Amino acid sequence: MSFFLEHAGKQVVPLWYDGEDCNLNPNNIFEVIHAADGTVAHHAQSASVADAQAAVDAAQAAFSTWSATSVPERRAVLLKVADLLTERADVLGVMQARETSSAPSYGSYLAKVASANIREVASQITTACTGSLPPDQSTTIMVTKQAIGPVLIISPWNSPTVLGPRSIAAALAAGCTVVLKASELCPQTYRMLCQVFADAGLPRGVLNQIVVKRDDAPSVTEAIISHPAIRKVEFIGSAAVGSLVAQSCARHLTPILLELGGKAPAIVCRDANLAKAAATCAFGAFVHHGQICMSTERIIVVQEVSEEFSKLLKKEVNEKWYHGAGSAATTAFANKAHALLDEALRDGAEYLAGENTYIDEAKTSLRPTIVTKLARDSRLRDLESFGPSATLYVVEDEDEALRVANDSAYGLSGAIWTSDVMKGLALSKKLECGMVHVNAGTMADFPTMAIQGVKGSGWGSNNGVYGIEEFLVTKSVTLQG
């Protein structure tokens, strides 16, 4: 299942808004590259400012009807979306792999995760949208909740089969209509995801997709944010780009939900299950070539058990990860990750496992690597690498472990390994992350939990009832006789 239009022998992903694939503009088509072998996967139409405005107009026109639909109607559509995501998971995984060089099983797995997340969203619509009756002796007060309006969702390339549907579903559950600015690296994956929503019965104009080539993205994004119909923006991606989008929103007083990068720490206490911690930390650092915002980038172990833990971690890396962890989505991403570790090595860092080498001809796949003895001023210390690597820190005790973990501009996800659950809970309160997992990896995710960051990892929440609430506004109404 794919959705292309043909032009001059090329398969082109069209823009899709108001329920239709839009006619192609041959002068504004770009290549989508399969980085793992350097071939052209297909082409995609890049949106102009006029296209973007037309997509917003479609969302605005559909808002009055969609926002007035009943909760059971919205729930039924979302439950059908969940069913279709499960049915089409393998096909979606193959397309995600074709566009971003991920493992097909990874995209398929994430589509099923999205299905579970959307079922939770569907179950929480009534709770999220229910208002209250605050008491007053002289006046009847009703505090109601309403959809904020048409919204812009800017969704990334690294996990499209879960991050796209999750964001879209929360907005739709609240009664909002959506303009989706899909990543230019995986436009067909997102087009297939939009079709899932359409096939589930979503009316035309409620969801609209545009794609923009990188050079035109600033002007097109600004045109959407400045459109008076757009009432909120959600951005998932890097802190650098998120900051630029947030500045645009600030100019127009448009609220924004940000889920940005991280430098996730995993603290290994003296009483931890060291073998399980080592295995989980390696998985968290390397899976999907380290291209996950919650990847384990910093492993902080108490000195008393550091020698044993280091041996276990090295063994885990050499035995299970030596031959690779997939490919980067672009050669530029691989080169950036490689350069960061190379620079750290020149500044005095040492390899504990791996050697940061390219292991494929296309130079998109790096040998999974653990470095230690990182210099205090190394850029790797607090710059998200988005590659298959992690840094090992040895500290005197758990207090120092917290200081090292919190010495970061980021605060998305963290992990604590200890056999003392109460100690884990106590440490979790002091760890400056929006999500803390005791005896689990930094990437742990459950449909009912809130996904959010603190500090430079953004603000606002995703998942379940927390995600729906992001797209609602309260209105107070008083009644006097």
Side-chain angles (χ1 to χ4, degrees):
M1 178 184 295
S2 58
F3 302 92
F4 294 107
L5 297 182
E6 295 287 335
H7 172 72
K10 300 173 182 176
Q11 288 188 316
V12 184
V13 183
L15 306 178
W16 183 78
Y17 52 81
D18 201 19
E20 296 181 347
D21 288 324
C22 302
N23 293 331
L24 298 179
N25 174 3
N27 298 319
N28 206 14
I29 291 172
F30 63 93
E31 294 179 339
V32 179
I33 304 296
H34 178 60
D37 60 14
T39 60
V40 177
H42 40 255
H43 293 73
Q45 178 73 65
S46 182
S48 64
V49 168
D51 290 321
Q53 291 172 335
V56 178
D57 290 342
Q60 184 180 25
F63 176 71
S64 60
T65 302
W66 179 250
S67 61
T69 56
S70 68
V71 167
E73 288 177 276
R74 279 179 258 159
R75 181 179 294 116
V77 170
L78 292 180
L79 289 175
K80 182 61 175 176
V81 168
D83 289 341
L84 292 175
L85 282 172
T86 300
E87 291 175 16
R88 301 177 187 178
D90 290 344
V91 177
L92 288 163
V94 169
M95 183 53 68
Q96 180 177 307
R98 182 63 184 147
E99 294 189 312
T100 69
S101 299
S102 65
S105 58
Y106 180 71
S108 174
Y109 165 75
L110 291 183
K112 294 171 186 174
V113 171
S115 176
N117 287 345
I118 291 173
R119 290 186 190 283
E120 175 64 18
V121 167
S123 73
Q124 292 289 345
I125 301 176
T126 301
T127 299
C129 296
T130 299
S132 60
L133 296 170
D136 186 89
Q137 291 183 338
S138 61
T139 301
T140 298
I141 302 173
M142 297 185 296
V143 178
T144 63
K145 295 182 182 181
Q146 296 178 299
I148 194 170
V151 300
L152 167 64
I153 293 174
I154 304 175
S155 198
W157 55 267
N158 59 323
S159 300
T161 54
V162 65
L163 297 180
R166 185 192 69 182
S167 297
I168 294 166
L172 298 181
C176 296
T177 53
V178 176
V179 175
L180 172 69
K181 181 183 173 294
S183 171
E184 75 281 4
L185 298 184
C186 48
Q188 179 65 199
T189 303
Y190 276 110
R191 176 64 186 86
M192 292 168 69
L193 288 167
C194 286
Q195 193 64 41
V196 167
F197 284 87
D199 291 347
L202 195 68
R204 60 187 296 163
V206 176
L207 174 61
N208 310 272
Q209 176 186 319
I210 65 164
V211 179
V212 189
K213 60 187 178 183
R214 190 171 291 267
D215 290 346
D216 294 342
S219 59
V220 172
T221 304
E222 173 68 23
I224 299 174
I225 294 173
S226 65
H227 196 297
I230 293 296
R231 299 300 175 87
K232 189 163 187 173
V233 175
E234 177 179 355
F235 174 85
I236 303 176
S238 71
V241 177
S243 176
L244 296 174
V245 175
Q247 290 175 49
S248 178
C249 288
R251 285 194 295 273
H252 303 286
L253 296 180
T254 302
I256 183 170
L257 164 60
L258 291 170
E259 185 179 318
L260 306 178
K263 195 75 177 176
I267 295 174
V268 182
C269 301
R270 58 174 55 86
D271 59 347
N273 180 330
L274 299 182
K276 185 176 180 181
T280 307
C281 286
F283 179 86
F286 304 145
V287 72
H288 193 36
H289 208 256
Q291 298 172 125
I292 302 172
C293 57
M294 295 182 286
S295 291
T296 306
E297 292 223 30
R298 297 180 295 150
I299 306 169
I300 307 164
V301 59
V302 172
Q303 187 171 19
E304 185 178 324
V305 294
S306 61
E307 185 175 349
E308 182 182 357
F309 178 79
S310 296
K311 290 178 181 178
L312 290 167
L313 182 62
K314 184 175 182 177
K315 183 175 184 288
E316 185 74 20
V317 176
N318 290 338
E319 291 185 357
K320 296 185 180 179
W321 297 96
Y322 183 79
H323 296 292
S327 298
T330 71
T331 54
F333 296 155
N335 290 340
K336 175 194 170 186
H338 181 269
L340 271 176
L341 264 67
D342 246 12
E343 180 184 297
L345 193 68
R346 291 195 301 270
D347 292 340
E350 298 178 3
Y351 294 139
L352 175 73
E355 65 276 355
N356 188 39
T357 53
Y358 293 102
I359 58 178
D360 65 330
E361 291 184 6
K363 290 191 172 182
T364 60
S365 183
L366 291 166
R367 182 89 64 202
T369 301
I370 304 289
V371 300
T372 189
K373 299 182 180 179
L374 193 65
R376 183 69 185 87
D377 59 352
S378 173
R379 290 198 305 147
L380 183 60
R381 179 172 287 271
D382 204 36
L383 184 61
E384 195 175 25
S385 71
F386 243 54
S389 66
T391 304
L392 178 68
Y393 298 87
V394 178
V395 297
E396 182 178 352
D397 54 26
E398 282 127 17
D399 287 338
E400 186 182 359
L402 280 171
R403 287 195 294 272
V404 172
N406 290 335
D407 184 19
S408 173
Y410 296 104
L412 186 58
S413 182
I416 297 167
W417 290 91
T418 174
S419 60
D420 184 343
V421 174
M422 295 309 296
K423 178 168 72 175
L425 288 174
L427 292 173
S428 73
K429 294 178 182 179
K430 299 177 182 178
L431 189 55
E432 295 172 356
C433 296
M435 299 168 284
V436 180
H437 306 286
V438 180
N439 296 326
T442 58
M443 297 186 300
D445 183 5
F446 304 94
T448 53
M449 68 178 275
I451 301 289
Q452 75 278 302
V454 298
K455 301 196 295 188
S457 291
W459 57 74
S461 299
N462 273 304
N463 258 25
V465 68
Y466 311 100
I468 303 171
E469 289 171 345
E470 290 288 341
F471 296 100
L472 295 168
V473 290
T474 57
K475 176 183 287 187
S476 294
V477 179
T478 65
L479 299 174
Q480 297 189 41

